[in-house]
Amino acid sequence: EMILLQSEVLELKANPDKLARGTIIETRLDKGQGPVATVLIQEGTLRVGEPFVSGQVFGKVRAMLDDHGEKLKEAGPSHPVEVVGFAGLPEAGDQFIVVSDERKARLAVEHRLEKVKQKEAGTIGKITLETLFDKIKEGEFKELKAVIKADVHGSIEALKKAISDINTKGEIKVNIIHTAVGSITESDIMLASASNAIVIGFNVVPDQKAHALAQTEHVDVRTYTIIYEAIDDIKKAMEGLLSPIQKERVLGRAQVIQLFIVSKVGAIAGSRVLEGKITRGAQARVIRKNEVIHEGKVTSLKRFKEDVREALLGYECGIKLEHFDDLQLEDIIEAYEYEEIAQKLD
């Protein structure tokens, strides 16, 4: 009501007596009709049979449908209509422009595609001294690259929003390198192969050539019909890229009950294992009066002059610590190790 009121107050008007112009609101692939787009006419009058240009796609209006599915022969300003006759799928937000003849439409699209190719050729793989230092300052970062294809533009936007909402804990840069409406094609596979990216299809599948090429190029292609399953798989993939957390795990504790000084070897701690086990090669700390006075490595572990791999609870053993001889009776030697735990995204 406010929009209608404002339009009356501002006396908004459009000229219906000219070639139509409008904006693409939504696009989809129809099994029977091919590429279909919803167009909001902003000026002029659109008629069946007229050639047009929209983004990097041209076509000719074969049919128009209103919001009730009724066929129309023409549509004026402020009318949303479904247009059939696109050579390919435009993107939501593209301008829809009617031209005088089909040849002009074709030439306009070829010119736009050439400009896009030139722009891509000028930017891919190039680095300048100005950007090099920035990349060095950023340090080593990891990327999860993705190509997204879907049946409608709305699904693409929903996927992009959901992916951007995933908490990556600052370690992973999510880079969606290409999105488009339509089935997964050979060009999508080649782009993913060159960029080391995965391909995500929502309510679309790869065509036969794309499927064969994906196998040849070893490109990971995932197709979904439920958006939450897609997001869950992306989370799992990203969790695989996250640096694992190193968590300390105490193996055991032993108390020094006797000291042996061996020439050319140093101090050997005759010890009794109080809990857990002491393992040769494990990290260890020496605790004296509840204070850690040394951290190092168990370089040697003996029982009755024989080298052993581990000493269990209740056993007595001889422990040699790396670069440390200042042991005293009743010192506690605590053995521990680090285990890597895969990070989970929130």
Side-chain angles (χ1 to χ4, degrees), residues 42-63:
Q42 293 170 294
E43 56 182 70
T45 300
L46 181 63
R47 297 176 178 85
V48 173
E50 289 183 325
F52 60 83
V53 175
S54 182
Q56 298 172 24
V57 176
F58 70 94
K60 188 175 182 179
V61 180
R62 295 206 317 264

Side-chain angles (χ1 to χ4, degrees), residues 2-28:
M2 288 301 297
I3 292 173
L4 293 173
L5 177 61
Q6 287 290 326
S7 66
E8 286 182 14
V9 172
L10 297 172
E11 296 184 352
L12 299 177
K13 295 179 181 179
N15 181 9
D17 301 320
K18 59 185 293 189
L19 295 176
R21 296 175 70 95
T23 301
I24 303 293
I25 304 300
E26 180 62 284
T27 61
R28 63 183 176 86

Side-chain angles (χ1 to χ4, degrees), residues 114-343:
E114 187 63 32
K115 286 182 71 176
V116 170
K117 286 180 182 178
Q118 289 175 359
K119 185 178 179 181
E120 289 177 349
T123 56
I124 292 175
K126 290 188 177 179
I127 187 167
T128 65
L129 290 176
E130 289 81 7
T131 60
L132 179 61
F133 184 65
D134 290 337
K135 288 185 178 294
I136 293 173
K137 282 197 300 183
E138 288 172 6
E140 231 179 279
F141 63 90
K142 299 172 183 177
E143 266 190 332
L144 179 65
K145 297 179 182 178
V147 173
I148 298 178
K149 299 296 290 286
D151 54 342
V152 295
H153 189 76
S155 298
I156 291 174
E157 292 303 317
L159 274 167
K160 286 171 67 177
K161 175 68 168 59
I163 291 170
S164 67
D165 287 345
I166 295 174
N167 177 12
T168 65
K169 303 189 180 180
E171 291 197 29
I172 300 172
K173 179 182 176 183
V174 183
N175 186 5
I176 299 172
I177 59 176
H178 177 64
T179 63
V181 175
S183 61
I184 299 167
T185 62
E186 287 179 284
S187 61
D188 298 321
I189 302 300
M190 290 305 297
L191 175 61
S193 177
S195 307
N196 195 23
I198 64 172
V199 179
I200 299 169
F202 188 76
N203 282 333
V204 295
V205 295
D207 57 36
Q208 189 172 357
K209 290 182 178 179
H211 180 73
L213 184 61
Q215 290 184 322
T216 303
E217 296 292 328
H218 304 289
V219 173
D220 188 10
V221 178
R222 305 293 182 96
T223 58
Y224 304 92
T225 56
I226 301 173
I227 193 167
Y228 301 108
E229 290 181 355
I231 300 306
D232 189 48
D233 275 8
I234 292 169
K235 274 190 177 184
K236 289 176 181 176
M238 290 169 67
E239 285 167 356
L241 292 177
L242 283 171
S243 298
I245 299 171
Q246 283 198 330
K247 186 177 180 181
E248 181 185 299
R249 184 168 71 92
V250 175
L251 297 173
R253 292 160 66 94
Q255 186 177 43
V256 179
I257 57 176
Q258 196 171 356
L259 288 172
F260 303 95
I261 305 299
V262 180
S263 60
K264 297 183 182 181
V265 176
I268 303 294
S271 309
R272 180 182 292 113
V273 181
L274 302 179
E275 57 184 77
K277 63 182 180 180
I278 305 297
T279 305
R280 186 177 69 236
Q283 295 295 317
R285 58 174 64 95
V286 179
I287 303 171
R288 183 178 298 161
K289 296 180 180 179
N290 297 322
E291 289 187 11
V292 176
I293 62 169
H294 173 75
E295 290 199 40
K297 192 175 182 179
V298 177
T299 56
S300 174
L301 188 66
K302 292 181 179 291
R303 290 200 71 243
F304 305 113
K305 297 184 180 182
E306 291 185 6
D307 288 322
V308 294
R309 190 175 65 85
E310 61 183 23
L312 302 177
L313 173 65
Y315 282 74
E316 293 183 358
C317 58
I319 301 172
K320 176 70 179 80
L321 297 176
E322 184 179 37
H323 307 310
F324 187 71
D325 294 324
D326 187 23
L327 289 160
Q328 295 182 11
L329 296 178
E330 297 188 356
D331 282 349
I332 298 295
I333 299 174
E334 185 177 74
Y336 62 94
E337 66 179 5
Y338 288 106
E339 58 182 350
E340 292 188 341
I341 301 173
Q343 290 195 52

